[in-house]
Amino acid sequence: MAPKRSQTELAVLGALSLAPMSGYRVRAEILSTVGHFWAESFGQIYPALARLEAAALVSRDDSGRYLLTDRGRLRLAELLREAPESAPPRNGVLLRLFFGRKLGVDGCLELLDRMEHDVALKMRTFAEIRAELDPSDPDERFALITVSAGEHNGRATLAWIAESRIALAAAPPASPASDAGPESAAR
Amino acid sequence: MAPKRSQTELAVLGALSLAPMSGYRVRAEILSTVGHFWAESFGQIYPALARLEAAALVSRDDSGRYLLTDRGRLRLAELLREAPESAPPRNGVLLRLFFGRKLGVDGCLELLDRMEHDVALKMRTFAEIRAELDPSDPDERFALITVSAGEHNGRATLAWIAESRIALAAAPPASPASDAGPESAAR
DNA sequence: CTCCCCATGTAACTGGTTACATGATTCA
DNA sequence: TGAATCATGTAACCAGTTACATGGGGAG
């Protein structure tokens, strides 16, 4: 029912609710604040701004920056109350691990190594963001909650990786990757 | 470089590596095994099968079921070794929480309630799946690892929800949703 | 003067979902 | 014999990324 489009508009209206800014800045703002869990590209943002302006949800000040109108603020509140739709999941790492028999234990371990590295990086940026946020500022309290989501998730992923390494090491009673196909000899 | 298309083909080839089956069954198989972290629709699967057959990666047996050719098995091993690309994140709940100031604490709490409910459901299905898997079967070991990923994630999410409820309850020194807009009086 | 960042936009392409059309088989 | 499930496909639509084209403004 609710078109996905409204999700992009939600992000744009939300960004503009923080301050008036150019389309370029909207994208930068989205990247630097909700970027960890929400992505938008120029190809989405500019058309969205055009639609929003046509619908009088945003307008432009004398220096060209976009800002919310009263209708825009209403619309933002409305969109925030709509049920969040989550994108259909597509986790390439899990997909590969599921077929780990064909990939081989070594391949699985490599996947976990890469993932651990990526998560560790993310955790560091979370720590930086957290350090810059002021927990007593009522606005930033909400930002802190989203950072915390990332941290919980990251810690869980790291724990799962450690556990999975052990499970994989215990695995190879069967001949490893015995049906990986004819190329297994060439490897 | 690697077109996303290959990700769908990976899923289809992977399903067929378990057993020969019809396109309809491929979809059912994907749903019931990797469905928690990977989605495919008919509109993707049938064209993919047609392409794969044209490329001689799959063929059909006398009863019409698709099965992997040797080339198909090779291609599967190749795709499994390719770097997994993860879809750009789009978490509607976190997006809304980030703008929680405009949504109001009550709205945030509702989001958390719904999410908790959803996660609890998922955790139950994970438990069921785990109960049906045999940890000594080398094939199902890999399935177990993916289930475990879901469980770790779910537990982390539940912990984060509990923590966030407390953070939200401690929040309202400022007048709640003071700039939610003109409708705040009507609410 | 040149390079880099700010800024706005568009076109082409890909990926993906949804809904529809169609018919066979199974089973109560 | 009717309902449910299995099965195959297609058309329309939507969403989203990427790459390109274009130009202003400031810093070195």
Side-chain angles (χ1 to χ4, degrees):
Chain A
M1 184 134 294
K4 295 230 175 117
R5 163 159 277 146
S6 60
Q7 300 265 109
T8 289
E9 295 181 358
L10 169 54
V12 170
L13 290 174
L16 289 177
S17 80
L18 303 175
M21 62 187 89
S22 67
Y24 187 89
R25 274 284 149 204
V26 166
R27 196 253 192 162
E29 191 68 23
I30 288 178
L31 251 186
S32 71
T33 57
V34 298
H36 310 284
F37 48 87
W38 198 268
E40 296 289 351
S41 62
F42 282 131
Q44 290 284 104
I45 288 171
Y46 282 113
L49 281 169
R51 282 196 307 274
L52 291 171
E53 191 176 11
L57 301 178
V58 309
S59 61
R60 313 187 70 161
D61 68 10
D62 29 339
S63 56
R65 295 177 308 174
Y66 291 91
L67 47 87
L68 289 188
T69 63
D70 282 347
R71 278 172 48 90
R73 253 178 296 273
L74 271 176
R75 178 73 179 138
L76 171 58
E78 199 179 296
L79 288 174
L80 283 172
R81 305 207 139 258
E82 270 183 12
E85 15 182 333
S86 39
R90 288 215 138 189
N91 187 322
V93 173
L94 289 184
L95 181 65
R96 282 166 175 80
L97 286 178
F98 184 87
F99 297 112
R101 177 99 178 272
K102 323 280 166 182
L103 174 57
V105 170
D106 289 352
C108 290
L109 288 172
E110 273 172 45
L111 280 175
L112 293 180
D113 288 347
R114 277 172 150 278
M115 197 175 192
E116 185 175 45
H117 177 253
D118 293 347
V119 174
L121 272 187
K122 266 200 181 182
M123 291 299 276
R124 229 174 306 160
T125 73
F126 288 145
E128 283 166 21
I129 294 173
R130 175 177 284 277
E132 282 174 17
L133 288 176
D134 173 8
S136 67
D137 180 329
D139 260 1
E140 304 198 334
R141 227 182 260 272
F142 296 100
L144 264 179
I145 288 177
T146 67
V147 171
S148 187
E151 290 169 334
H152 272 89
N153 214 311
R155 280 192 299 267
T157 303
L158 292 176
W160 167 75
I161 288 172
E163 178 195 295
S164 299
R165 282 214 187 91
I166 295 171
L168 285 173
S175 63
S178 64
D179 50 21
E183 91 292 7
S184 62
R187 201 161 282 293
Chain B
M1 183 136 294
K4 293 230 175 118
R5 162 159 279 145
S6 60
Q7 300 266 108
T8 288
E9 295 182 359
L10 170 53
V12 170
L13 291 174
L16 290 177
S17 80
L18 304 175
M21 63 187 89
S22 67
Y24 186 87
R25 275 284 149 204
V26 166
R27 195 251 193 164
E29 191 68 23
I30 289 178
L31 251 186
S32 71
T33 58
V34 298
H36 310 283
F37 48 86
W38 199 269
E40 295 290 351
S41 62
F42 282 130
Q44 289 283 104
I45 288 172
Y46 282 113
L49 281 169
R51 283 195 306 274
L52 291 171
E53 191 176 10
L57 302 177
V58 308
S59 60
R60 313 187 69 161
D61 68 11
D62 29 340
S63 57
R65 294 178 309 176
Y66 292 93
L67 46 87
L68 288 189
T69 63
D70 282 348
R71 278 172 48 89
R73 254 178 294 273
L74 272 176
R75 179 72 178 139
L76 172 57
E78 198 179 298
L79 288 175
L80 283 172
R81 303 207 140 259
E82 271 184 10
E85 14 182 334
S86 38
R90 288 217 138 187
N91 187 322
V93 173
L94 289 184
L95 180 65
R96 281 165 176 81
L97 286 177
F98 185 86
F99 297 113
R101 176 99 178 273
K102 324 280 166 182
L103 174 58
V105 170
D106 289 352
C108 291
L109 289 172
E110 272 172 46
L111 280 175
L112 293 179
D113 287 347
R114 278 173 148 277
M115 196 175 194
E116 185 176 46
H117 177 254
D118 294 348
V119 174
L121 271 187
K122 268 201 178 179
M123 290 300 275
R124 231 175 302 162
T125 75
F126 287 146
E128 285 166 21
I129 294 174
R130 175 177 283 278
E132 282 173 16
L133 288 177
D134 173 9
S136 68
D137 180 330
D139 259 1
E140 304 199 332
R141 228 181 259 274
F142 296 100
L144 266 179
I145 288 177
T146 66
V147 172
S148 186
E151 290 168 334
H152 271 90
N153 216 310
R155 281 192 297 268
T157 303
L158 291 176
W160 167 75
I161 288 173
E163 179 193 295
S164 299
R165 282 212 187 93
I166 295 170
L168 285 172
S175 61
S178 64
D179 50 20
E183 93 292 10
S184 62
R187 199 161 283 292

